[in-house]
Amino acid sequence: MSQAMSQGTKPKHTLSGEEIIRCTGVNKWYGEFHVLKNVNLNVQKGERIVVCGPSGSGKSTMIRCLNRLEEHQKGTIVIDGIELTNNLKNIELVRREVGMVFQHFNLFPHLTVLENCTLAPIWVRKMPKAEAEERAMSYLKRVRIAEQARKYPGQLSGGQQQRVAIARSLCMSPKVMLFDEPTSALDPEMVKEVLDVMIGLAEDGMTMLCVTHEMGFAKSVADRVIFMDRGEIVEQDTPDAFFSNPKSDRTRLFLSQILNH
Amino acid sequence: MTDNVQSVGLPDERPPANTVGPIAWLRSNLFNSWYNAILTILVLALLVSAIPPFVGWLLVNAHGFDSNSTVCRQDAGGACWGFIGEKLRFIMFGMFPWDEQWRPLLTIGIFIALLVASCDRRFWKPWFGLVWAAGLTLVAILMWGGVFGLTYVENTLWGGLPLTIILSVIGLAVAFPVSILLALGRRSDMPAVKVLCVTYIELIRGVPLISLLFMASVMLPLFLPNGVSVDKLLRAQIAFIMFAAAYMAEAIRGGLQAIPKGQYEAADGLGLSYWQKMRKIILPQALAIAIPPLVNTFISFFKDTSLVIIIGLYDLLGTAKAALSDPSWRGFYREAYLFIGVIYWIFCFSMSKYSQKLERDLNRGHRR
């Protein structure tokens, strides 16, 4: 599987070549169930990666391991030079630099949109309140939701909530953004507003790992598409090569299932 | 074709006359079926037969606050409020020296002022803790005395409403933070902490409050070295705190369990530490959810303070009972219990009403 990578990948934009994520031989089990099998993954700064695969293939688990929401049992994960182990300090350091956007948004319902965005900068980064609010407003403007800053999440639509969740992550100035099926829980008419924000981020050079079924998004912005099945990375390639010339049967089957209906 | 399209909106019409107004209300709420009609009539009959005699006893045939027991005994058709008139200060303040009873009265005033102010969420700031500390210091000075020219009053002489309020307010105030720690400990990943908290909670919940009070008053002194004695009131207070903390911890655990996993993950994902996550994200939501069971505990705990009578402390119920043991007033227990019942009710009902308001306020605007 790793040969596919070395031959096929041609980034759409020039990458620094600087490595920010290195996973080596990562394995994880839920009880007896082997969810992640020997996953090797290197990500460069500024790279945009889309992870796809059938449900239960371990793609969410893999990106959740990258900020230790899930614990891997074997192998090493190094993020921006820090290895993820049981060391709580390291985990907190990594989490500051890795933003995460969830399928179900997970905004804090008892805080306003603005407070959702300023909480972590104020408490984790020890930023003065005024500065945190100013930055939060600029990110809220960027996801085009600044006028809702004083509202509570429950008063917003799903698409708006997800855009707030993206702004909340950006307020921590993360070096990497992880997206865990960010549009799967949205009504169809709201998918585009969230994807537009994500495309904007990608164009600004954010390092992104995105678990999604939005193949249009993959084609237009991804540098690399990773296909996972049954806990392993089956194939990874540039979107062009991946969609036009999949090498594995499993990939072909998956693509035929999601593209022709 | 155009028949299917309504080009002008229909005008608003009034609802049919038989579906609005008092008659319709009666019909739909009290007489909407034959068995509800029978129930309505039965309840009405019960009220008609019960209320007039009660009002007669309570007010019409009653003797006023200045009546004495001889008059009351000759004409026993109504309540004898003279009992309350004569024993009011004893019931309210117990054996506190007669001339100094303005001090416990002021104490009650201070507590009520502090509690009412605490109901306002604008005061939920760290500095308000200092206000409470100042208030409690003032209460201690007033009750004990011995400084500023106030005569010293031993706490064995304290009684009545101030004692009930001191035991319950201080008990709940100390038990609340302890119960939060217990609830968090019970859900902790650290096995030692978890086992400790579970054992504590289950032990305390497994024994009646009375036995805890007995333990505190009879057993504890046996374990202490000679010459060391802990004040009886303090021992009762500690027993109450231990008891309330275990119950409140379970109420709070219920709130914690209702918080979706995603909230923990979002907080973790942002790099918040455990205590930041709990303080800023989890507890504010969990406590709001736990308000109904918490207030339930508050209310039953407030009334449970009356159990201190078994270890010889005279709270509100205790002083009322003691007042009844006066030979000239023996037998006027209805007046006594009704009176203190009303006092208990006012406190408990205020708590209940306030908790409903708080629940509404905290849920406003951010329903999930």
Side-chain angles (χ1 to χ4, degrees):
Chain A
M1 12 172 175
S2 51
Q3 315 90 295
M5 162 82 216
S6 48
Q7 303 161 1
T9 305
K10 252 192 214 124
K12 295 187 167 176
H13 60 151
T14 37
L15 294 168
S16 57
E18 213 181 319
E19 201 172 72
I20 189 149
I21 297 176
R22 169 177 284 273
C23 301
T24 322
V26 173
N27 281 272
K28 179 173 174 60
W29 291 262
Y30 287 131
E32 287 291 303
F33 180 58
H34 201 167
V35 237
L36 291 181
K37 295 173 187 160
N38 208 28
V39 169
N40 295 299
L41 172 70
N42 300 327
V43 180
Q44 293 176 43
K45 247 179 205 161
E47 201 174 0
R48 286 92 50 127
I49 296 178
V50 163
V51 184
C52 61
S55 76
S57 58
K59 51 198 192 304
S60 283
T61 307
M62 181 185 78
I63 73 162
R64 285 161 61 87
C65 281
L66 298 180
N67 65 351
R68 197 78 169 182
L69 287 183
E70 303 282 352
E71 206 174 304
H72 61 285
Q73 283 121 320
K74 221 175 115 190
T76 55
I77 300 178
V78 180
I79 312 280
D80 198 26
I82 302 173
E83 185 178 350
L84 279 173
T85 57
N86 281 327
N87 183 329
L88 275 179
K89 269 273 140 300
N90 281 354
I91 294 173
E92 276 170 27
L93 281 178
V94 165
R95 283 173 175 170
R96 280 176 205 190
E97 309 303 335
V98 178
M100 178 125 191
V101 175
F102 300 87
Q103 182 176 3
H104 295 287
F105 334 132
N106 296 350
L107 294 177
F108 306 128
H110 62 302
L111 301 176
T112 63
V113 164
L114 186 62
E115 287 165 341
N116 262 279
C117 294
T118 56
L119 183 103
I122 290 174
W123 290 90
V124 180
R125 293 237 191 259
K126 313 287 179 210
M127 193 183 280
K129 192 173 174 215
E131 190 189 338
E133 284 185 350
E134 195 182 313
R135 281 171 50 94
M137 285 312 290
S138 78
Y139 282 116
L140 287 171
K141 220 168 270 162
R142 182 162 160 191
V143 300
R144 292 186 294 281
I145 204 152
E147 67 286 356
Q148 317 273 20
R150 304 280 164 193
K151 286 194 181 168
Y152 286 95
Q155 295 165 296
L156 306 181
S157 74
Q160 291 173 321
Q161 289 193 45
Q162 193 61 297
R163 285 186 280 144
V164 172
I166 294 173
R168 175 175 72 177
S169 286
L170 291 176
C171 283
M172 284 294 281
S173 325
K175 295 182 177 155
V176 181
M177 284 283 281
L178 308 175
F179 294 83
D180 189 1
E181 306 206 25
T183 56
S184 304
L186 296 175
D187 290 335
E189 75 271 22
M190 293 170 184
V191 170
K192 188 174 176 294
E193 63 186 60
V194 172
L195 287 180
D196 284 346
V197 167
M198 290 167 60
I199 290 169
L201 264 185
E203 282 165 356
D204 288 353
M206 174 64 77
T207 312
M208 294 165 70
L209 266 97
C210 188
V211 173
T212 183
H213 298 295
E214 297 294 335
M215 290 304 135
F217 175 78
K219 280 176 193 162
S220 62
V221 301
D223 297 310
R224 181 166 26 140
V225 179
I226 294 179
F227 173 67
M228 286 185 76
D229 190 22
R230 283 177 239 151
E232 56 189 323
I233 295 181
V234 175
E235 185 165 346
Q236 45 184 325
D237 218 328
T238 59
D240 292 344
F242 180 82
F243 289 110
S244 57
N245 187 20
K247 292 175 188 62
S248 139
D249 290 341
R250 286 197 266 177
T251 316
R252 270 195 288 276
L253 178 66
F254 175 73
L255 286 176
S256 73
Q257 279 162 342
I258 63 161
L259 295 177
N260 317 316
H261 46 170
Chain B
M1 288 311 283
T2 50
D3 287 0
N4 292 335
V5 181
Q6 189 77 44
S7 52
V8 189
L10 288 172
D12 291 346
E13 284 177 18
R14 295 201 34 85
N18 62 350
T19 60
V20 288
I23 302 288
W25 185 89
L26 279 177
R27 197 200 292 264
S28 67
N29 288 292
L30 297 178
F31 297 99
N32 59 351
S33 63
W34 62 269
Y35 49 85
N36 276 351
I38 291 176
L39 274 179
T40 303
I41 291 164
L42 276 177
V43 169
L44 269 179
L46 198 73
L47 290 177
V48 167
S49 67
I51 289 179
F54 180 67
V55 173
W57 176 83
L58 190 73
L59 300 169
V60 183
N61 302 324
H63 301 279
F65 288 105
D66 48 359
S67 57
N68 62 44
S69 61
T70 352
V71 178
C72 290
R73 285 192 204 283
Q74 277 158 7
D75 170 22
C80 183
W81 298 118
F83 170 74
I84 303 298
E86 189 178 320
K87 295 291 184 188
L88 179 67
R89 285 175 69 170
F90 182 75
I91 294 176
M92 293 303 269
F93 307 124
M95 280 162 290
F96 210 90
W98 187 263
D99 292 332
E100 303 287 332
Q101 286 185 354
W102 59 273
R103 284 156 54 178
L105 182 65
L106 202 55
T107 296
I108 297 175
I110 292 171
F111 268 118
I112 291 178
L114 282 173
L115 290 172
V116 168
S118 306
C119 287
D120 192 327
R121 290 214 290 147
R122 278 172 302 176
F123 292 144
W124 291 11
K125 300 271 158 59
W127 61 263
F128 202 66
L130 293 178
V131 176
W132 265 96
L136 291 179
T137 314
L138 201 57
V139 163
I141 292 171
L142 280 170
M143 292 301 284
W144 264 302
V147 283
F148 305 124
L150 299 171
T151 48
Y152 176 69
V153 180
E154 247 186 288
N155 67 17
T156 45
L157 297 176
W158 300 6
L161 190 56
L163 188 69
T164 297
I165 296 182
I166 288 172
L167 277 173
S168 47
V169 172
I170 296 181
L172 290 171
V174 177
F176 188 59
V178 177
S179 70
I180 290 178
L181 294 179
L182 281 172
L184 292 178
R186 186 163 191 169
R187 288 172 58 80
S188 164
D189 295 332
M190 290 177 275
V193 174
K194 186 173 177 161
V195 166
L196 207 69
C197 291
V198 172
T199 313
Y200 175 83
I201 292 171
E202 295 304 338
L203 258 180
I204 299 289
R205 285 205 309 166
V207 293
L209 176 56
I210 292 195
S211 63
L212 261 186
L213 285 172
F214 264 129
M215 198 104 111
S217 88
V218 183
M219 303 263 288
L220 196 64
L222 297 180
F223 298 131
L224 291 175
N226 272 346
V228 177
S229 75
V230 183
D231 183 82
K232 182 155 80 174
L233 181 61
L234 184 61
R235 289 193 309 243
Q237 184 74 80
I238 291 170
F240 268 118
I241 291 169
M242 290 171 67
F243 189 75
Y247 274 83
M248 280 151 66
E250 285 300 278
I252 294 170
R253 183 167 71 101
L256 288 173
Q257 277 172 342
I259 305 300
K261 202 164 146 243
Q263 294 288 307
Y264 290 86
E265 290 181 348
D268 285 339
L270 287 167
L272 272 74
S273 71
Y274 175 82
W275 290 108
Q276 287 171 337
K277 170 174 71 177
M278 288 304 163
R279 202 174 126 215
K280 293 286 160 189
I281 308 299
I282 307 301
L283 281 173
Q285 297 182 64
L287 292 179
I289 295 171
I291 286 175
L294 273 178
V295 172
N296 197 24
T297 314
F298 282 18
I299 288 177
S300 63
F301 182 78
F302 180 75
K303 292 178 294 184
D304 282 349
T305 53
S306 56
L307 288 172
V308 291
I309 193 169
I310 60 145
I311 57 167
L313 293 171
Y314 286 88
D315 76 313
L316 191 56
L317 183 68
T319 51
K321 275 187 170 162
L324 283 169
S325 64
D326 180 341
S328 59
W329 289 105
R330 206 159 275 167
F332 291 97
Y333 53 86
R334 274 176 295 195
E335 290 83 349
Y337 290 143
L338 190 66
F339 177 68
I340 59 162
V342 167
I343 295 179
Y344 275 114
W345 183 82
I346 289 171
F347 276 93
C348 295
F349 187 67
S350 317
M351 280 192 252
S352 164
K353 271 291 160 203
Y354 174 66
S355 82
Q356 285 168 18
K357 177 185 171 309
L358 190 61
E359 246 179 285
R360 271 197 311 275
D361 288 357
L362 291 178
N363 281 329
R364 185 170 297 154
H366 55 80
R367 290 220 165 276
R368 247 188 297 275

